[in-house]
């Protein structure tokens, strides 16, 4: 996998790739600087520059999406090109053992996994890097202990999200296996269509496909319900913590060490970390399990009812 990704990035161009990463990182730094910009906007004598910067910070997520989507199309193109070159380098025996649809499906799945990895890993990593770097530095300048404590809490939150996502790994495996079974059933019917017509087994095959589709649906509903439940619980906890921090700042209980800007930074961290890490962790589990699910067997015509 590492060699494959290096070849894809080499095809894109390391300079181009790193340049877009730096631009995205700068956009995220400006976005997460909103607590500092809001502080400068409160008062009578406000420098218009702060207002311009705050306005720009609000559109940074859209700018990042443009940059990331452009990179994703490069990844789509280069990943398929690298995979196609690998297919051309195979021996004739490889062509005999794999149908054209199998090769095409493999290329599409590998390219899709590469794009998901780019979006979930690189995108979220840059987001967390900008936020943790900016806020850890700010807290450290206020109080070194506060900076270290913030970084530790951030790592704990990321680890908790990753563990919760990994806990759903068995359900993800079942879902992918059900999809593989549906694909095998459909491929079986297509390959043996003439046999189905001559043996008058349309109704039987229609029932078999319907059963496979219903099983796939119920499996995905189950894993999605568990995923949504974990996401709702995490987001509710994050919202409660954020509201608690706001209440703490308004009650006057907070010491001078925790200024309004510090509380805003904590609120931003709580709300952004939960969603970002949960999404990246879930995508990582799907990619990992996708590679470990064996293809469902396809029946021979002799095994047909």
């Amino acid at each position: 996998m590492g060699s494959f990704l290096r070849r894809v990035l080499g095809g894109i161009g390391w300079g181009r790739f790193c340049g877009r990463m730096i631009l995205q990182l700068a956009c995220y730094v400006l976005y997460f600087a909103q607590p500092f910009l809001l502080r400068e906007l409160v008062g009578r004598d406000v420098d218009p520059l702060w207002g311009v910067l705050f306005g720009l910070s609000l559109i940074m997520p859209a700018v990042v999406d443009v940059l990331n989507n452009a990179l994703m199309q490069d990844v789509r193109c280069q990943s398929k090109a690298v995979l196609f070159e690998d297919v051309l380098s195979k021996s004739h025996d490889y062509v005999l053992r794999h149908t054209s649809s199998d090769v095409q499906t493999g290329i599409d799945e590998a390219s899709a996994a590469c794009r998901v990895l780019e979006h979930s890993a690189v995108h979220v990593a840059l987001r967390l890097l900008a936020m943790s770097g900016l806020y850890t530095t700010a807290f450290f300048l206020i109080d070194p202990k506060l900076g270290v404590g913030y970084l530790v809490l951030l790592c704990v939150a990321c680890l908790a999200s990753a563990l919760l996502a990994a806990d759903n790994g068995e359900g993800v495996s079942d879902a992918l296996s059900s999809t593989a079974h549906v694909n095998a059933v459909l491929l079986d019917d297509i390959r043996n269509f003439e046999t189905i017509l001559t043996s008058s087994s349309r109704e039987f095959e229609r029932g078999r496909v319907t059963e496979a589709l219903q099983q796939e649906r119920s499996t995905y509903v189950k894993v999605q319900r568990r995923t949504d439940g974990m996401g709702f619980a995490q987001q509710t906890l994050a919202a409660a913590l954020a509201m608690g921090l706001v209440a703490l700042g308004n009650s006057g209980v907070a010491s001078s060490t925790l200024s309004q800007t510090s509380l805003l930074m904590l609120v931003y961290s709580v709300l952004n970390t939960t969603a970002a890490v949960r999404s990246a962790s879930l995508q990582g589990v799907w990619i990992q399990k996708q590679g470990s699910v064996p293809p469902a067997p396809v029946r021979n015509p002799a095994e047909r009812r």
Side-chain angles (χ1 to χ4, degrees), residues 174-197:
D174 292 340
L176 293 173
S177 296
S178 66
T179 297
H181 177 63
V182 169
N183 293 337
V185 170
L186 294 176
L187 183 61
D188 179 38
D189 284 350
I190 293 172
R191 288 177 174 176
N192 299 282
F193 187 69
E194 184 177 351
T195 305
I196 295 174
L197 294 179

Side-chain angles (χ1 to χ4, degrees), residues 124-193:
V124 174
L126 288 174
R127 187 173 181 174
L128 291 177
L129 178 62
M131 182 182 66
S132 60
L134 183 63
Y135 291 169
T136 300
T137 302
F139 281 125
F140 191 83
L141 292 176
I142 296 173
D143 187 340
K145 294 181 180 179
L146 190 60
V148 174
Y150 167 77
L151 188 59
V152 171
L153 288 176
L154 187 64
C155 292
V156 170
C158 293
L159 180 61
S161 296
L163 291 176
L164 285 174
D167 187 56
N168 203 18
E170 184 177 352
V172 173
S173 294
D174 292 340
L176 293 173
S177 296
S178 66
T179 297
H181 177 63
V182 169
N183 293 337
V185 170
L186 294 176
L187 183 61
D188 179 38
D189 284 350
I190 293 172
R191 288 177 174 176
N192 299 282
F193 187 69

Side-chain angles (χ1 to χ4, degrees), residues 41-290:
L41 291 175
V42 177
R44 295 182 179 180
D45 299 327
V46 178
D47 190 337
L49 178 61
W50 298 118
V52 173
L53 290 176
F54 181 73
L56 289 175
S57 71
L58 296 176
I59 65 172
M60 284 301 103
V63 175
V64 169
D65 285 341
V66 172
L67 295 172
N68 195 61
N69 289 335
L71 179 60
M72 186 173 295
Q73 300 314 314
D74 289 339
V75 171
R76 180 198 302 274
C77 177
Q78 291 301 322
S79 61
K80 290 186 177 181
V82 169
L83 292 167
F84 182 67
E85 287 296 328
D86 285 344
V87 172
L88 291 180
S89 65
K90 300 293 184 182
S91 63
H92 183 65
D93 182 62
Y94 178 84
V95 179
L96 296 177
R97 289 185 291 107
H98 299 83
T99 64
S100 58
S101 61
D102 291 338
V103 174
Q104 181 62 45
T105 300
I107 290 177
D108 289 341
E109 289 181 352
S111 178
C114 189
R115 296 194 302 273
V116 170
L117 184 62
E118 183 275 331
H119 183 272
S120 62
V122 177
H123 194 58
V124 174
L126 288 174
R127 187 173 181 174
L128 291 177
L129 178 62
M131 182 182 66
S132 60
L134 183 63
Y135 291 169
T136 300
T137 302
F139 281 125
F140 191 83
L141 292 176
I142 296 173
D143 187 340
K145 294 181 180 179
L146 190 60
V148 174
Y150 167 77
L151 188 59
V152 171
L153 288 176
L154 187 64
C155 292
V156 170
C158 293
L159 180 61
S161 296
L163 291 176
L164 285 174
D167 187 56
N168 203 18
E170 184 177 352
V172 173
S173 294
D174 292 340
L176 293 173
S177 296
S178 66
T179 297
H181 177 63
V182 169
N183 293 337
V185 170
L186 294 176
L187 183 61
D188 179 38
D189 284 350
I190 293 172
R191 288 177 174 176
N192 299 282
F193 187 69
E194 184 177 351
T195 305
I196 295 174
L197 294 179
T198 56
S199 61
S200 300
S201 58
R202 290 183 180 181
E203 290 302 321
F204 171 74
E205 296 301 330
R206 184 179 291 111
R208 195 165 71 98
V209 171
T210 301
E211 181 183 358
L213 290 173
Q214 289 298 324
Q215 180 181 0
E216 181 189 37
R217 179 183 180 279
S218 62
T219 304
Y220 272 87
V221 167
K222 181 180 179 181
V223 69
Q224 190 62 51
R225 186 181 296 118
R226 183 178 176 85
T227 300
D228 292 340
M230 290 189 301
F232 182 78
Q234 287 179 272
Q235 203 62 33
T236 301
L237 180 60
L241 182 56
M243 294 302 295
L245 290 171
V246 173
L248 180 64
N250 292 330
S251 65
V253 177
S255 63
S256 58
T257 302
L258 287 177
S259 62
Q260 294 292 332
T261 304
S262 301
L263 290 172
L264 277 175
M265 286 191 292
L266 289 173
V267 171
Y268 267 66
S269 299
V270 168
L271 296 179
N272 282 280
T273 302
T274 304
V277 178
R278 183 178 70 247
S279 175
S281 301
L282 289 173
Q283 293 289 355
V285 170
W286 279 94
I287 294 175
Q288 179 187 13
K289 295 300 180 181
Q290 190 172 21

